[in-house]
């Protein structure tokens, strides 16, 4: 592994290896507390963040290294050529993590950088989120055997990474989205190319998608950058795609509930479901730091 732009870049062995290391980092943090002494990483943000920013910053500190938070607008990233700016930044740090509007920005960065580049969310995918969610799912079930995951809502960046992660680890994934908000055709083509179409099922009706699922995952109906579409989207997604008690009556008993956060309570998910005993959203949030520490250890090893 040199960069992490999408989970597609990883083999199933690399994913499992990363999850094993993340489990150990979580269990024995002191073992790793000086592994990245003297190393620095740059965290570049075109969009806002709570979990991604703070878990990378704090995680790097816990490994003995240093993280620089860089707001795109307060640097000359918005003035100069992106290639020149990234080439310069990669002279000063050992790794660049970036949250960008357009995925192709990350590809330009990867090609220009002399150090690893990690995707901290793009319009296409959110690999760090889903790698840590896979860690959380394995913690809850002990393995990935005999589980089914369901996605209800927008076929967005988080949904795309969930599909890729599930396909890589042979986990069936049942997706319900409105017709016009399905996962990108390019992703469905990739699933076909991998000969894994049997694992991915797309539905219009959330009741169908959650029927056999052990895990029900949702995310906002309006991602960052889509704010102008809010009214139109909410009319299409509500009430059918909201995760609430009534919808969960169609699921097996007590499926685990996942959400990457930030949640819009009362929109894509109701308070009672988000705060229920089956909700593992804060275990998901916590595991971001353990997984990303493992990722930094892998990418920055000498
Ligand atoms: N889930 C997630 O990436 O959260 P932030 O947008 O707060 O980083
Ligand atoms: N789909 C959301 C995820 C936020 C972590 C967004 O892109 O805004």
């Amino acid at each position: 592994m040199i960069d992490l732009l999408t989970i597609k870049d990883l083999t199933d062995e690399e994913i499992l290896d990363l999850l094993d290391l993340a489990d150990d980092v979580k269990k024995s943090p002191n073992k790793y507390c000086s592994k990245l002494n003297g190393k620095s990483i740059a965290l570049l943000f075109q969009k806002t963040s709570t979990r991604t920013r703070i878990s990378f910053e704090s995680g790097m500190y816990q490994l003995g290294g240093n993280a620089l938070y860089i707001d795109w607008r307060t640097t000359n990233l918005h003035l100069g050529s992106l290639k020149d700016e990234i080439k310069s930044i990669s002279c000063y740090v050992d790794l660049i993590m970036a949250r960008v509007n357009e995925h192709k920005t990350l590809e330009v960065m990867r090609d220009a950088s002399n150090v690893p580049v990690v995707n901290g969310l793009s319009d296409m995918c959110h690999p760090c989120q889903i790698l840590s969610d896979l860690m959380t799912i394995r913690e809850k079930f002990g393995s990935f055997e005999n589980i089914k995951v369901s996605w209800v809502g927008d076929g967005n960046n988080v949904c795309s990474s969930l599909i890729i992660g599930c396909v890589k680890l042979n986990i069936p994934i049942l997706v319900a989205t409105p017709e016009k908000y399905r996962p990108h055709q390019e992703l469905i083509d990739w699933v076909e190319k991998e000969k894994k179409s049997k694992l991915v099922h797309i539905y219009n009706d959330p009741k169908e998608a959650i029927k056999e699922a052990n895990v029900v995952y949702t995310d906002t109906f309006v991602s960052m950058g889509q704010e102008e579409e809010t009214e139109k989207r909410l009319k299409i997604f509500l009430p059918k795609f909201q995760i609430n008690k009534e919808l969960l009556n169609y699921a097996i008993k007590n499926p685990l509930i996942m959400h990457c956060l930030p949640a819009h309570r009362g929109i894509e998910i109701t308070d009672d479901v988000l705060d229920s005993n089956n909700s593992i959203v804060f275990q998901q949030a916590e595991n971001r730091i353990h997984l990303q520490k493992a990722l930094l250890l892998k990418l920055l090893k000498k």
Side-chain angles (χ1 to χ4, degrees), residues 98-114:
R99 169 167 286 194
V100 298
N101 295 320
E102 292 182 20
H103 192 79
K104 60 177 187 273
T105 303
L106 286 169
E107 292 168 348
V108 174
M109 291 168 76
R110 174 198 56 201
D111 295 344
S113 174
N114 297 317

Side-chain angles (χ1 to χ4, degrees), residues 12-28 31-32 131-132 134-136 138-139 142-144 169 290-291 293-295 297-298:
D12 48 352
E13 286 86 11
E14 281 175 320
I15 297 173
L16 293 172
D17 202 32
L18 191 60
L19 301 192
D20 290 345
L21 181 58
D23 286 345
D24 199 54
V25 166
K26 184 172 182 176
K27 202 172 96 207
S28 315
K31 219 161 97 184
Y32 299 94
L131 288 168
S132 65
L134 290 169
M135 173 187 178
T136 307
R138 194 173 66 166
E139 272 182 344
S143 81
F144 296 115
L169 298 182
H290 307 303
L291 188 286
K293 283 167 75 177
L295 182 66
L297 288 163
K298 290 269 178 210

Side-chain angles (χ1 to χ4, degrees), residues 48-53 99 121 126 129 224 260-262 288:
T48 53
S49 167
T50 302
R51 280 145 290 271
T52 306
R53 172 184 176 176
R99 169 167 286 194
L121 181 145
H126 196 2
Q129 177 70 52
M224 288 181 273
C260 57
L261 303 178
R288 293 291 305 275

Side-chain angles (χ1 to χ4, degrees), residues 7 26-27 65 71 94 102 142 154 162 167 202 213 225 252 290:
I7 300 176
K26 184 172 182 176
K27 202 172 96 207
D71 181 336
D94 301 289
E102 292 182 20
D154 187 14
L162 184 64
V167 162
I202 313 274
I252 58 168
H290 307 303

Side-chain angles (χ1 to χ4, degrees), residues 47 99 121-122 126 129 156-158 219-220 222-224 260-262:
K47 297 177 179 183
R99 169 167 286 194
L121 181 145
S122 69
H126 196 2
Q129 177 70 52
N156 66 12
N157 44 6
V158 178
D219 179 22
T220 182
V222 187
S223 284
M224 288 181 273
C260 57
L261 303 178

Side-chain angles (χ1 to χ4, degrees), residues 172-289:
I173 168 142
L174 317 159
V175 176
T177 70
E179 192 87 33
K180 288 208 170 120
Y181 295 88
R182 294 207 155 161
H184 291 152
Q185 188 55 42
E186 197 192 325
L187 178 59
I188 303 301
D189 293 344
W190 173 82
V191 174
E192 273 169 25
K193 212 178 98 232
E194 296 288 301
K195 304 200 179 356
K196 297 284 184 80
S197 299
K198 276 195 183 142
L199 290 173
V200 183
H201 303 268
I202 313 274
Y203 301 90
N204 292 322
D205 187 355
K207 293 179 190 127
E208 285 294 315
I210 65 170
K211 214 161 58 183
E212 295 178 6
N214 310 91
V215 172
V216 176
Y217 199 138
T218 192
D219 179 22
T220 182
F221 299 147
V222 187
S223 284
M224 288 181 273
Q226 298 172 337
E227 290 80 3
E228 282 180 8
E229 298 172 32
T230 303
E231 205 183 316
K232 176 177 143 205
R233 282 174 168 264
L234 294 190
K235 266 194 205 139
I236 294 169
F237 284 89
L238 286 173
K240 187 172 167 185
F241 291 88
Q242 184 186 69
I243 307 290
N244 54 39
K245 281 255 167 71
E246 292 68 46
L247 178 63
L248 291 176
N249 283 332
Y250 294 86
I252 58 168
K253 203 164 168 255
N254 300 331
L256 294 182
I257 303 299
M258 298 184 78
H259 192 308
C260 57
L261 303 178
H264 303 75
R265 288 170 174 262
I267 309 281
E268 72 271 10
I269 189 164
T270 52
D271 281 328
D272 52 354
V273 173
L274 193 69
D275 297 329
S276 68
N277 289 336
N278 300 322
S279 164
I280 53 169
V281 301
F282 294 107
Q283 191 170 333
Q284 282 180 265
E286 180 192 329
N287 283 340
R288 293 291 305 275
I289 191 166

